[in-house]
Amino acid sequence: MNDFETTKSGYVVVTDTIPNDGSADVSDAIQQLIDDNPNRTIYFPDGTYILGKPILTPAHPKKSVALKLSTFAVLKAAETWDSDEAMVRLGASHPANDIYTIGSNYSFTGGIVDGSGIAKGISIDGGRETMIRDVSIKHVRIGIHIKYGANSGSSDADIFGVNIIGNGAADSVGVLLEGYDNTLTNMRIARVFTGIELRSAGNSMRNLHPLYTCDYTDYGNSCGFLDYAGNNWYNFCYSDHFGIGFRTASTERNRNVRNIYDSCFTMWYAARGDVHTAFRADGKFNSVLTNFNIGFHHQQEKNVVLSVGEPGGRGVFNRLSVNPKKCTDDTYKEYLEGGLF
């Protein structure tokens, strides 16, 4: 998009007033631009924008903005970054719970968010209907953090086409969900210890692919999809080489988490660690897995289809795809319907 096109489109072009050569911290200047231009699209041309502190967008529809980055525009955390908050905090100022007033559907689109190995990427702190689309998030401790939502916990966010590379640390997470009722679609995640961590319900996930590429410290507890809440829906979600593919984790309030998994897949490309676990239920197994596909590595000594913390449960494997010769447990057989294929 050239200068004529941005002007014609009515965008506020960041480089009209702010340098993009990566030479100085421009976070205060960007924040001022956001605050001074309610209900406008703030456009970032290609270049590097150094952030020494988080930038915040308003949740109130009459003050909200859309942040739009050109494909090779980079928001990069300064080496001096010391905030525990994300680099970009959507809906973090001017709280509101309003989907009726024009301006409620603000967004972050395009570009690259670079955490420099220390910062978190993008968070959704408030408001509803927030969109994050077509973004590359690199070298972050947490890629996307959706906090407890404005509508009794519901955040109603829409995340699509986002790629995330973590920093490889033991506490690194691709996506952390604390708000309810979000939709995540078409995402690739790597170099994190936990791919997707859910502490909320009502979330729909489709075509999500976390890939384990960290060192193998505590590998057995690494997890592609870690769910503390239950009542979530997974479709063609693919855990790639994590110690545990899918896990329903117990809490004091919810010991028997249950979810729906449709056509999901877990596999291992190498024999590493003591055991590879396709599905782990910390409490009773109460989830429904339909057309679940497992690709165990042929050289791994211990391959577990299902690990349970407590016997019983009403969970089901409906048509399970796995080579039984590679399985070293038979707990799953108690829950198997429709046979193996």
Side-chain angles (χ1 to χ4, degrees), residues 23-53:
S23 62
D25 179 1
V26 295
S27 50
D28 285 337
I30 292 173
Q31 187 64 60
Q32 191 66 53
L33 204 63
I34 291 170
D35 296 342
D36 291 346
N37 290 279
N39 291 163
R40 300 292 299 277
T41 297
I42 313 295
Y43 179 73
F44 295 74
D46 290 347
T48 300
Y49 306 82
I50 300 295
L51 302 184
K53 65 179 69 171

Side-chain angles (χ1 to χ4, degrees), residues 9-28:
S9 300
Y11 291 178
V12 175
V13 183
V14 173
T15 50
D16 285 349
T17 55
I18 297 172
N20 64 343
D21 58 3
S23 62
D25 179 1
V26 295
S27 50
D28 285 337

Side-chain angles (χ1 to χ4, degrees), residues 208 210 222-227 234 236-240 242-248 261 263-268 277-281 289 292-293 305-307:
L208 309 184
S222 65
C223 187
F225 296 87
L226 174 59
D227 196 316
Y234 299 76
F236 195 69
C237 289
Y238 172 17
S239 173
D240 195 341
F242 287 84
I244 302 169
F246 297 82
R247 177 183 170 191
T248 53
Y261 302 83
S263 302
C264 292
F265 179 35
T266 185
M267 66 84 65
W268 288 264
T277 304
F279 196 101
R280 172 177 163 181
L289 285 75
F292 190 61
N293 192 354
V305 173
L306 175 64
S307 171

